[in-house]
Amino acid sequence: MISTMQLRPRKSFEELPEQSSEMELLRFTTAGSVDDGKSTLIGRLLHDSKAIYEDQLASVKKSRINRSTGPIDFSLLTDGLRAEREQGITIDVAYRYFATPRRKFIIADTPGHEQYTRNMATGASTADLAVILVDATKGILPQTRRHAFIASLLGIRNVLAAVNKMDLVDYREDVFLQLEQDFLKLAAQLGIARTQCVPISALEGDNVVERSGRTFWYQGPTLLEHLETVPVSVGDSLESLRFPVQMVIRPDAKFRGFAGRVASGVIRPGDRVLALPSGQRTRVRSIVSYDGDLPEAFASMSATVQLEDEIDLSRGDMLVSPENGPRVSKRFRAVMVWLHETPLEVGRTYLVKHAARQTKIRALRIRHRVNVNTFEQEAATQLNVNDIASVEFEAHVPLFFDPYASNRTTGSFILIDAISNATVGAGMIQADLSDRQKQEELELASPDPTRKPVSARERYERHGHNPATFLFENQPALASRLERALFDQGFEVLHLENGEASPDGLAETIRTARRIGLVFIYSGVPIDGLTKKRLSSEVEHELFDLSRKKENADDEEVFRRALELADSLRLIKPQKNQEEAN
């Protein structure tokens, strides 16, 4: 075996497991467009870092398939399926493990094809870093944008843009600098803060493990150097305790412990904890392990906790910090990645697996589907395989959750088909909807109707639709046409064009339109990207940007899309459709 231990000082047999356990672990995923060279890069990385078994290397050398110009097709080291080798593409997620003297690694090699978006999301779900390949001969492609978007969606804080195939552009500095500028602009648009760009040739090995003399103008780290030195986050941003109970351990009448994995925070003997859903408070008596009691357990550790008081806890319950607990709610909004060929249907009952809790759940409404190539929001009544969308859910019993941005464990869930037991979707929780529901219930339950204020929900129900904002920058004719069409269909709609509304006061105008329950259309002067981002985060209802993206944009197609989006806002069917249904 050719192993990384040849690079280290010789250790005794007893010292090796201890050294391995103390090394830091980095999980990273690779993604990019088709034929960008992801599998070749990983094969080169494993080969040059001396992490390939000799028999595996010999098998690859003898393979009848070799799409490279050299003696070894490095992609065959990761593309293990017959279909992958024959077609020269990655289909399934391939996991590889290797180590250097500085760090241990787990690699998830994910497909680049659009129809395998679900595989990419699966491979990236536990990653600390994403390596996104960019073909130096093609530049930033739609698949590159799609994978960068998914990486940001999954909360990956570090992204390495590997500009591959530099050998095909004669290692030109200007080509790399232009692609670096393009990718950094994309990363800024998606909110990815820590980005490193490296010029490489996976086929020739330039700047993968060893620094290349052919890119003398590049002074940054090699790909492996960055992987070895990039700071690994020790956990999510949430520091408060989250301990989902997975099992109650009761070997005899004297011992009762609660086993689980710490999702965030630290738990120590003597700490005060709150049990959910009962709301009982107690203290930690001890933290038990096979080797004896522990002084503490922290995030990602599995532990068994004994409590001072005999309280009722079972699988799916949670121990949390009394000072800063999670949201407890049946209703929430989440970003869904749909994984199954059978579409998601609004109103259908599924099973939700959240932390250690499993219960029934149904989708209340699909707010919008995201076009992962353009990042635009589109109307949808169902989700098909590989779709990504914002969806509102209601569970049968309350879940204990945090936003996914704060805690990946308590902020994520999967949906299961109750009949086939197939995993059909993966979700990332964004917000709790219970406060909105409670406010609406209080308003409707006021004992004195004459003194009760008019609620937003009452206005929406009278209009028959939810509010929304449509942006048609410098397109007053198209916006006026939409206003007339929606008005004729029974929508309460207001159109403001140049001279009637300014970008500076647009946020307040939108808030007022929402309170009244209007569909608001803006066709004034263009709005800068920062203002649009602020508007999108401030407004609490749908904001659809249908401004002209290209000079040859088809107005009829934009108009049709606007009508579809407006139709998704309806709370009741038009009378004509009701009569047809009857």
Side-chain angles (χ1 to χ4, degrees):
M1 173 183 142
I2 304 175
S3 80
T4 54
M5 283 184 276
Q6 294 178 357
L7 305 176
R8 306 176 189 169
R10 289 187 175 271
K11 299 276 185 180
S12 68
F13 181 79
E14 292 79 8
E15 290 177 298
L16 290 177
E18 181 179 355
Q19 173 183 306
S20 179
S21 64
E22 292 177 352
M23 291 176 64
E24 193 173 41
L25 173 66
L26 175 73
R27 294 180 175 87
F28 70 92
T29 182
T30 61
S33 182
V34 179
D35 295 329
D36 275 350
K38 299 179 295 299
S39 298
T40 300
L41 171 62
I42 295 176
R44 169 65 75 175
L45 181 62
L46 296 174
H47 177 271
D48 289 6
S49 62
K50 311 294 190 244
I52 299 296
Y53 289 95
E54 290 180 349
D55 58 344
Q56 185 182 9
L57 189 61
S59 174
V60 170
K61 288 181 178 179
K62 294 177 182 178
S63 175
R64 64 178 179 82
I65 300 173
N66 189 336
R67 291 173 294 272
S68 71
T69 56
I72 301 176
D73 185 348
F74 291 105
S75 68
L76 300 183
L77 294 171
T78 55
D79 288 340
L81 300 178
R82 174 184 289 184
E84 293 179 326
R85 294 192 175 202
E86 289 177 349
Q87 298 181 49
I89 62 172
T90 299
I91 297 174
D92 203 358
V93 181
Y95 292 94
R96 293 294 180 267
Y97 310 85
F98 78 105
T100 69
R102 306 179 71 174
R103 184 173 274 176
K104 296 183 295 184
F105 302 94
I106 298 178
I107 317 171
D109 181 23
T110 63
H113 286 67
E114 185 171 359
Q115 64 263 39
Y116 300 127
T117 295
R118 56 182 177 177
N119 301 54
M120 190 271 168
T122 300
S125 60
T126 58
D128 304 304
L129 178 145
V131 176
I132 298 180
L133 277 82
V134 179
D135 190 328
T137 65
K138 300 177 181 178
I140 306 295
L141 298 176
Q143 292 98 319
T144 315
R145 295 169 55 83
R146 173 163 48 90
H147 288 146
F149 170 70
I150 296 174
S152 67
L153 190 69
L154 293 171
I156 298 178
R157 299 178 174 89
N158 297 284
V159 171
L160 188 154
V163 181
N164 193 24
K165 302 184 181 181
M166 290 297 296
D167 53 307
L168 299 183
V169 295
D170 299 325
Y171 301 94
R172 288 168 48 193
E173 180 182 14
D174 61 318
V175 173
F176 170 73
L177 292 178
Q178 181 59 55
L179 292 177
E180 179 183 41
Q181 180 180 347
D182 293 343
F183 194 89
L184 290 176
K185 182 179 179 180
L186 172 63
Q189 181 183 359
L190 296 173
I192 301 173
R194 296 191 285 272
T195 306
Q196 175 68 46
C197 299
V198 181
I200 68 167
S201 170
L203 189 64
E204 302 296 333
D206 298 281
N207 293 328
V208 178
V209 172
E210 302 294 338
R211 186 173 298 278
S212 172
R214 290 178 283 201
T215 55
F216 57 89
W217 40 264
Y218 173 70
Q219 303 301 319
T222 66
L223 186 141
L224 182 59
E225 286 174 350
H226 184 74
L227 295 177
E228 288 183 321
T229 57
V230 64
V232 178
S233 176
V234 296
D236 296 305
S237 60
L238 184 68
E239 297 181 356
S240 300
L241 175 66
R242 301 288 185 267
F243 183 78
V245 176
Q246 297 180 1
M247 181 186 298
V248 179
I249 299 177
R250 193 74 185 267
D252 53 51
K254 297 181 179 179
F255 184 91
R256 188 164 183 255
F258 304 101
R261 186 177 183 183
V262 183
S264 66
V266 180
I267 186 170
R268 301 180 180 89
D271 284 355
R272 295 171 58 249
V273 292
L274 174 69
L276 295 176
S278 66
Q280 293 179 281
R281 297 172 183 262
T282 183
R283 291 183 181 272
V284 178
R285 176 189 296 173
S286 62
I287 302 173
V288 183
S289 73
Y290 180 80
D291 298 318
D293 291 356
L294 301 176
E296 65 179 19
F298 47 84
S300 78
M301 278 185 62
S302 296
T304 299
V305 176
Q306 277 192 297
L307 303 176
E308 290 185 353
D309 302 303
E310 290 289 334
I311 64 174
D312 183 24
L313 280 177
S314 58
R315 177 178 174 83
D317 294 347
M318 187 180 292
L319 296 175
V320 302
S321 301
E323 299 80 14
N324 185 21
R327 301 304 301 244
V328 180
S329 175
K330 294 181 181 180
R331 297 184 62 184
F332 57 87
R333 185 177 79 243
V335 172
M336 282 299 303
V337 180
W338 196 247
L339 308 175
H340 203 262
E341 285 75 11
T342 303
L344 176 143
E345 298 175 6
V346 173
R348 181 180 174 182
T349 299
Y350 297 91
L351 297 178
V352 59
K353 176 74 166 56
H354 173 259
R357 169 160 288 205
Q358 182 169 302
T359 186
K360 294 179 181 179
I361 196 172
R362 64 189 179 96
L364 300 175
R365 181 168 76 102
I366 300 175
R367 293 165 55 86
H368 58 260
R369 178 175 53 212
V370 179
N371 184 322
V372 292
N373 294 324
T374 64
F375 311 146
E376 293 182 346
Q377 298 177 358
E378 302 174 345
T381 56
Q382 66 178 27
L383 298 185
N384 298 311
V385 62
N386 295 316
D387 279 349
I388 298 175
S390 176
V391 184
E392 294 181 3
F393 287 98
E394 182 175 41
H396 184 64
V397 297
L399 302 181
F400 324 124
F401 60 83
D402 302 282
Y404 182 83
S406 300
N407 191 314
R408 283 189 178 186
T409 302
T410 60
S412 61
F413 63 93
I414 60 172
L415 292 187
I416 302 170
D417 186 286
I419 299 176
S420 65
N421 205 37
T423 300
V424 294
M428 291 145 281
I429 299 175
Q430 293 179 304
D432 177 15
L433 299 180
S434 61
D435 290 342
R436 187 180 72 184
Q437 181 187 22
K438 290 175 182 177
Q439 180 62 33
E440 292 171 358
E441 290 174 352
L442 286 173
E443 291 172 347
L444 294 174
S446 175
D448 185 356
T450 61
R451 300 181 61 183
K452 180 181 67 175
V454 179
S455 70
R457 177 52 52 182
E458 287 179 294
R459 295 184 192 276
Y460 304 165
E461 289 178 351
R462 170 172 288 187
H463 299 329
H465 60 79
N466 286 311
T469 295
F470 288 84
L471 300 182
F472 285 86
E473 298 167 346
N474 279 346
Q475 296 170 270
L478 190 58
S480 295
R481 181 185 171 193
L482 178 63
E483 180 187 25
R484 167 52 63 183
L486 295 183
F487 182 81
D488 291 343
Q489 293 180 22
F491 284 86
E492 294 294 338
V493 59
L494 174 66
H495 170 213
L496 296 182
E497 50 186 301
N498 281 329
E500 297 180 309
S502 66
D504 295 336
L506 195 55
E508 184 58 37
T509 305
I510 290 175
R511 280 191 287 268
T512 302
R514 175 188 177 276
R515 291 184 62 186
I516 303 173
L518 302 180
V519 173
F520 174 63
I521 304 174
Y522 172 81
S523 64
V525 297
I527 308 167
D528 63 86
L530 187 61
T531 302
K532 281 187 181 180
K533 188 173 182 180
R534 179 171 56 83
L535 288 174
S536 181
S537 63
E538 285 183 0
V539 298
E540 300 180 16
H541 63 284
E542 305 288 9
L543 189 148
F544 303 117
D545 184 6
L546 298 180
S547 303
R548 192 187 305 275
K549 303 298 181 183
K550 300 178 182 178
E551 292 183 1
N552 60 349
D554 187 344
D555 283 355
E556 291 301 321
E557 176 65 18
V558 173
F559 182 72
R560 184 189 62 80
R561 282 195 55 221
L563 291 179
E564 290 178 353
L565 292 169
D567 193 60
S568 69
L569 302 172
R570 294 185 187 275
L571 297 175
I572 57 175
K573 294 181 180 180
Q575 187 65 32
K576 179 181 177 181
N577 292 345
Q578 288 182 351
E579 293 172 354
E580 291 175 354
N582 293 331

